[in-house]
Amino acid sequence: MGIEGAPESGYESMDFDELLKDPVAGSIVEKKALEYLQTENAEYFNREFSGELDEEGYLFKKDGTTSNTKPSQNIGGGLAMEKVMEMVRAELK
């Protein structure tokens, strides 16, 4: 069983950008990227951001201004991106 309305398969073969653009997976990518930043990259994240998002999904900086970046744009690539993709796929199953 997966997320209601989500196809049972297909997500496993998607890359990060495809997941991000997907109407179902995209919001989950942002949620899991924020989760990753707050746990795995907490020192950097907590120094720069409040953890709150504006109405368009952009992170607020510590000073209360919008950062013009979303959580997915702050995780970097490589292993961090792979970890977030694993988290997203696990939620979509």
Side-chain angles (χ1 to χ4, degrees):
M1 264 175 59
I3 302 278
E4 191 164 325
E8 287 297 319
S9 62
Y11 292 115
E12 290 297 321
S13 63
M14 288 182 171
D15 67 20
F16 189 82
D17 288 332
E18 290 169 328
L19 286 169
L20 197 55
K21 291 175 185 171
D22 184 84
V24 173
S27 62
I28 297 170
V29 171
E30 294 299 348
K31 181 175 96 174
K32 294 302 181 182
L34 180 59
E35 199 175 292
Y36 177 87
L37 288 166
Q38 291 174 320
T39 57
E40 303 296 321
N41 206 353
E43 185 178 336
Y44 154 75
F45 184 78
N46 292 329
R47 185 176 62 240
E48 301 292 326
F49 303 104
S50 69
E52 300 296 317
L53 303 174
D54 70 13
E55 64 278 350
E56 295 178 24
Y58 292 95
L59 289 160
F60 278 110
K61 295 180 189 176
K62 282 286 195 182
D63 66 7
T65 61
T66 188
S67 66
N68 83 348
T69 59
K70 294 185 176 186
S72 64
Q73 296 169 306
N74 281 281
I75 59 170
L79 293 175
M81 189 178 285
E82 289 296 323
K83 176 69 175 169
V84 170
M85 286 172 52
E86 287 174 21
M87 294 164 69
V88 170
R89 289 178 180 137
E91 182 149 330
L92 287 166
K93 287 188 178 195

